[in-house]
């Protein structure tokens, strides 16, 4: 054993100590080792194409300006805060104050971390719905929070029938039973990753009313809010009482096909936003200045150029185009109501009995083996969604794989061509 390992002063903190391989490492390393190259990457949710021209032009223009190349104000550039307030005020049926009710963050992920750091004391409890965005876990635990889980229940016949994401349901009685005096916050994600569920108004009303009843903060992660294919309601718009408890998270990366820009924001009442902004100041002080300016221009021009409607139409077309192959194969899937992920049920796929998986795959649930098999035998990368579950509820998703369809059409066609190779394993 090395001297580093035996020196307590050099021993890492518990929050970063785990060396278990995460799903991203497994899938990416598997993709690099696959005998079928180039791999068709339908795994991580980054776009396979550039932002719209008017946003790229705005970024290039901002890089020529001295002020845009220096520190942005910690709460964000004034133009972006105003653009966000102007864009979102109609959704909340009130005027959002850009100076006191908006704060810009280094991506939505850092925005969530700021919210947890702002309000969680060690031992405070946070409710997450399973499946969850995996970054929530580390963010909450780094703030000292304790997580309580409530699973979305998939349709019982999801292994035999294609169904709507709306059918993934919350047991509202179980949700209320999970709430207790230690419950400080609940995290909502709509449109949902990876299910694609857009929470209905009635579901949001029950959740919101429970939070009012128990004085629980709501962190509403709405980063896919510009990609919805059914009516989309924001929980913060339902009532003044719910609004006073709600922090809404947004993302320019998701809105404008620019996940590498890391520009996010939170909207909420002044008495909540000021503490999120204080946490942000201590975590990274300010966020990327020129890309904030570009995002502001994006918001100013998107509606008049018809970008929002076109992006929804284009992404829904990609969903429909990609899922044709599963209709051909007779593999049921969850039809997303929003976002750009498709969950496909692979129960009918029979993995060869003597197929050799590496130990770090063999010890994980069946979806990890399905993912590895597709990478190695078909050259298609997809994400096993049990990574987004606790061990006790992983069985709910062990036959599913998550495909990201935010790719060029030729990539989708190549994926479909290769996935047809599953027929001989069914």
């Amino acid at each position: 054993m090395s001297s580093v390992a035996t020196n307590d002063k050099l021993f890492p903190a518990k929050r970063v100590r785990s060396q278990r391989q995460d799903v991203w490492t497994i899938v990416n390393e598997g993709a690099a080792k696959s005998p079928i190259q180039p791999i068709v990457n339908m795994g991580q949710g980054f776009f396979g194409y550039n932002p719209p021209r008017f946003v790229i032009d705005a970024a290039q223009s901002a890089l020529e300006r001295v002020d845009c190349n220096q520190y942005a104000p910690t709460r964000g550039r004034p133009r972006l805060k105003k653009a966000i307030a102007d864009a979102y005020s109609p959704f909340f049926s009130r005027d959002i104050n850009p100076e006191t009710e908006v704060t810009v963050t280094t991506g939505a992920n850092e925005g969530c971390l700021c919210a947890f750091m702002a309000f969680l004391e060690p031992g405070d409890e946070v409710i997450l719905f399973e499946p969850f965005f995996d970054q929530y876990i580390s963010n909450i635990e780094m703030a000292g929070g304790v997580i309580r889980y409530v699973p979305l229940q998939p349709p019982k016949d999801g292994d035999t029938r294609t169904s709507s994401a709306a059918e993934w349901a919350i047991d509202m009685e179980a949700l209320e039973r999970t709430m207790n005096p230690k419950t400080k916050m609940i995290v909502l994600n709509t449109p949902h990753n990876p299910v694609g569920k857009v929470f209905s108004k009635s579901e949001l009303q029950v959740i919101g009313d429970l939070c009012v009843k128990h004085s629980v903060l709501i962190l509403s992660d709405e980063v896919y809010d510009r990609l919805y294919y059914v009516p989309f309601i924001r929980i913060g718009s339902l009532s003044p009482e719910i609004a006073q408890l709600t922090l809404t998270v947004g993302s320019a990366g998701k809105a404008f096909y620019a996940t590498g820009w890391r520009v996010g924001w939170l909207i909420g009442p002044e008495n909540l936003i000021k503490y999120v902004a204080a946490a942000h100041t201590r975590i990274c002080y300010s966020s990327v200045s020129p890309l904030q300016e570009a995002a502001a221009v994006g918001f100013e021009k998107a509606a008049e150029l018809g970008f929002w409607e076109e992006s929804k139409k284009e992404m829904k077309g990609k969903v429909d185009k990609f899922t044709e192959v599963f209709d051909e194969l007779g593999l049921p899937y969850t039809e997303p109501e929003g976002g750009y992920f498709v969950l496909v049920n692979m129960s009918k796929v029979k993995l060869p009995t003597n197929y050799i998986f590496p130990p770090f795959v063999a010890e994980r649930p069946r979806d990890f083996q399905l993912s590895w098999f597709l990478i190695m035998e078909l050259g298609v990368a997809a994400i096993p969604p049990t990574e987004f579950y606790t061990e006790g509820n992983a069985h709910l998703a062990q036959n599913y794989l998550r495909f990201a369809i935010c790719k060029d059409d030729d990539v989708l066609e190549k994926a479909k061509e290769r996935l047809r190779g599953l027929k001989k394993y069914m």
Side-chain angles (χ1 to χ4, degrees), residues 212-412:
V212 171
K213 177 180 176 181
H214 295 277
S215 298
V216 173
L217 293 170
I218 303 165
L219 185 66
S220 188
D221 182 350
E222 299 177 9
V223 296
Y224 303 100
D225 67 344
R226 297 293 177 168
L227 295 171
Y228 55 88
Y229 321 121
V230 298
F232 174 59
I233 306 293
R234 299 168 193 276
I235 193 168
S237 71
L238 294 181
S239 73
E241 294 78 15
I242 294 172
Q244 285 303 306
L245 296 171
T246 302
L247 290 163
T248 300
V249 184
S251 166
K254 300 299 192 298
F256 296 116
Y257 316 157
T259 59
W261 283 20
R262 313 310 293 150
V263 176
W265 58 84
L266 279 84
I267 299 169
E270 178 181 1
N271 65 306
L272 300 183
I273 286 292
K274 65 181 180 181
Y275 297 114
V276 175
H280 170 69
T281 302
R282 289 154 177 80
I283 292 169
C284 62
Y285 182 70
S286 67
S287 301
V288 183
S289 187
L291 301 183
Q292 288 189 49
E293 196 74 2
V297 174
F299 274 114
E300 291 165 359
K301 292 187 175 182
E304 67 181 75
L305 294 175
F307 173 71
W308 301 130
E309 290 305 314
E310 182 59 32
S311 67
K312 280 191 291 187
K313 179 181 176 183
E314 180 183 42
M315 198 65 75
K316 183 62 167 67
K318 290 179 183 295
V319 171
D320 294 342
K321 183 185 296 288
F322 181 62
T323 53
E324 288 171 351
V325 70
F326 302 115
D327 292 328
E328 290 175 28
L329 292 167
L331 290 174
Y333 53 90
T334 298
E335 293 180 317
E337 299 178 301
Y340 49 66
F341 297 111
V342 176
L343 281 179
V344 181
N345 191 293
M346 297 273 177
S347 297
K348 295 179 182 178
V349 176
K350 307 302 179 188
L351 296 173
T353 305
N354 297 321
Y355 195 84
I356 299 174
F357 295 99
F360 56 83
V361 172
E363 67 187 12
R364 303 291 285 269
R366 184 173 185 265
D367 58 333
F368 274 79
Q369 294 153 34
L370 286 163
S371 174
W372 189 265
F373 185 78
L374 260 65
I375 290 169
M376 294 299 164
E377 304 303 320
L378 302 182
V380 178
I383 295 298
T386 60
E387 179 80 355
F388 314 134
Y389 282 83
T390 55
E391 188 174 335
N393 287 322
H395 66 279
L396 296 172
Q398 67 180 351
N399 288 314
Y400 286 90
L401 287 178
R402 189 197 79 171
F403 294 84
I405 52 84
C406 49
K407 313 296 178 183
D408 279 324
D409 287 350
D410 62 336
V411 174
L412 298 181

Side-chain angles (χ1 to χ4, degrees), residues 109-302:
N109 187 24
E110 194 249 344
C112 291
L113 175 62
C114 291
F116 299 137
M117 289 294 189
F119 292 103
L120 297 182
E121 297 285 2
D124 285 344
E125 295 188 2
V126 180
I127 295 175
L128 293 184
F129 294 114
E130 295 181 89
F132 44 76
F133 175 50
D134 57 337
Q135 288 291 307
Y136 295 151
I137 307 299
S138 57
N139 286 352
I140 292 167
E141 290 178 344
M142 288 182 82
V146 176
I147 306 168
R148 302 297 180 203
Y149 300 92
V150 176
L152 289 172
Q153 297 289 342
K156 291 183 174 159
D157 56 355
D159 57 347
T160 60
R161 175 180 66 88
T162 291
S163 54
S164 169
E167 295 185 45
W168 289 64
I170 300 169
D171 182 337
M172 294 298 183
E173 291 182 357
L175 173 59
E176 183 160 25
R177 287 195 302 270
T178 306
M179 291 185 174
N180 64 73
K182 292 183 179 180
T183 307
K184 188 71 173 283
M185 187 181 292
I186 187 169
V187 180
L188 180 67
N189 178 209
T190 180
H192 187 275
N193 169 19
V195 174
K197 177 183 178 70
V198 171
F199 284 74
S200 69
K201 183 176 182 179
S202 60
E203 289 172 320
L204 294 175
Q205 190 70 58
V206 173
I207 294 168
D209 289 345
L210 286 173
C211 289
V212 171
K213 177 180 176 181
H214 295 277
S215 298
V216 173
L217 293 170
I218 303 165
L219 185 66
S220 188
D221 182 350
E222 299 177 9
V223 296
Y224 303 100
D225 67 344
R226 297 293 177 168
L227 295 171
Y228 55 88
Y229 321 121
V230 298
F232 174 59
I233 306 293
R234 299 168 193 276
I235 193 168
S237 71
L238 294 181
S239 73
E241 294 78 15
I242 294 172
Q244 285 303 306
L245 296 171
T246 302
L247 290 163
T248 300
V249 184
S251 166
K254 300 299 192 298
F256 296 116
Y257 316 157
T259 59
W261 283 20
R262 313 310 293 150
V263 176
W265 58 84
L266 279 84
I267 299 169
E270 178 181 1
N271 65 306
L272 300 183
I273 286 292
K274 65 181 180 181
Y275 297 114
V276 175
H280 170 69
T281 302
R282 289 154 177 80
I283 292 169
C284 62
Y285 182 70
S286 67
S287 301
V288 183
S289 187
L291 301 183
Q292 288 189 49
E293 196 74 2
V297 174
F299 274 114
E300 291 165 359
K301 292 187 175 182

